[in-house]
Each structure stands twice: as structure tokens, then as C-alpha cells.
Amino acid sequence: MQKITPCLWYDGQAKEAAEHYIAVFGGDSRILDISYYGEEAPGETGSVLTVSFRLAGQEYMGLNGGPQFPFTEAISLSVDCADQAEVDRLWTALSEGGEEGQCGWLKDRYGVSWQIVPTELPKLLADPDPAKAERTMKAMLGMRKLDIRALRDA
């Protein structure tokens, strides 16, 4: 059992979001449990209260808590990507209906912030040659979706 589970607060779209993320990540991703508002709860009786789901082995809780607390970039989900094909696929799927940011960041259609990061990026940014690391940083700062070839060539 996982000790810490991130809880994502939605305004009625928790189940829809979980299903979308499961379709995007596939593999070890699925809905684990759904609970519903009862008669005494503040939400509409019978509507989805929480959705427990797993994405790529990590468990999350989606809560339909209402509009009081929208997502901000102060919290993001960082995804390590093995290659450019994975960066491209996840970027396209998660940014659809959302908003592209810079440096590999995006907001999905539900407002959740994601970082789509090639696994190689930290190594490039920590290159023993400080000039190379600086060129990599400069290249990254000029990108939206990260381009591994351009980062290597910097």
C-alpha cells in the first residue's frame, strides 16, 4: 500500500478526468474505486464524490469538491519520458483542450498542470561542462514541448 496519495480536487469531472488519464497512460492504469454522495452530503445525491485510480502504478484520489479550489501551477505532475515519441504522445494527449506552457509544462482540459520531461533532461542540465549545461537550459527555456534532439545539440 502506498503511504501518500495525491488528492486532486475537481468541479464535477473527477471520473471523466480519471478515465481520460487511464486512456492516455494505459498499462498499469485503472479505476480502483468510486464513492457517491449520500443524502446527507453537500453534493447531489448519487453523484460521484471520489474516484480512486492508478496511473502508471501511482495511485490518486479524484474528489468532486466543487468550484471553490481550482488547480494552479503551484502543483504539477511530472512525467519521465523515455524518448521523443513518448514526449510527443503524452504532450498531444494531455494538452488537447488544455493549454501549452513553456519548458515542457502544460495544463490539461481539467486544469491540472503536467511536466512532460525526457528522462535525459536532468543529465543534460547537469553536464560537467558548465557552458553545455547553460546552453541546454537556454534551449529549454525557449521551448514549449521539449525536443530531445535540440536539447542534445545545444
Side-chain angles (χ1 to χ4, degrees):
M1 182 172 175
Q2 165 176 308
K3 190 165 188 78
I4 298 173
T5 301
C7 180
L8 306 173
W9 180 297
Y10 295 89
D11 183 15
Q13 315 98 336
K15 184 173 183 260
E16 176 186 325
E19 289 170 341
H20 174 65
Y21 302 147
I22 289 164
V24 167
F25 286 94
D28 187 18
S29 303
R30 64 186 177 93
I31 290 181
L32 303 171
D33 190 40
I34 300 175
S35 68
Y36 300 89
Y37 279 103
E39 290 182 25
E40 300 301 320
E44 181 182 333
T45 300
S47 65
V48 173
L49 171 61
T50 63
V51 179
S52 297
F53 59 101
R54 178 179 298 131
L55 296 179
Q58 169 74 42
E59 292 185 17
Y60 296 85
M61 172 74 67
L63 168 69
N64 282 328
Q68 300 89 335
F69 302 109
F71 292 108
T72 74
E73 292 84 353
I75 295 289
S76 63
L77 303 176
S78 184
V79 183
D80 291 325
C81 298
D83 54 33
Q84 191 65 49
E86 187 175 19
V87 168
D88 294 346
R89 184 183 70 77
L90 292 175
W91 184 269
T92 299
L94 291 169
S95 66
E96 182 183 345
E99 179 182 324
E100 294 183 1
Q102 71 177 54
C103 305
W105 289 59
L106 64 86
K107 273 188 174 180
D108 69 21
R109 65 182 81 165
Y110 307 102
V112 176
S113 291
W114 296 82
Q115 297 177 57
I116 308 303
V117 182
T119 303
E120 188 174 345
L121 180 61
K123 296 173 199 160
L124 293 170
L125 291 171
D127 193 285
D129 176 355
K132 169 71 173 151
E134 284 296 317
R135 289 192 308 270
T136 301
M137 176 65 76
K138 184 177 180 182
M140 182 191 70
L141 291 172
M143 297 178 184
R144 288 191 174 283
K145 177 179 71 174
L146 298 181
D147 178 333
I148 297 170
R149 172 60 51 208
L151 292 167
R152 285 179 191 149
D153 291 346

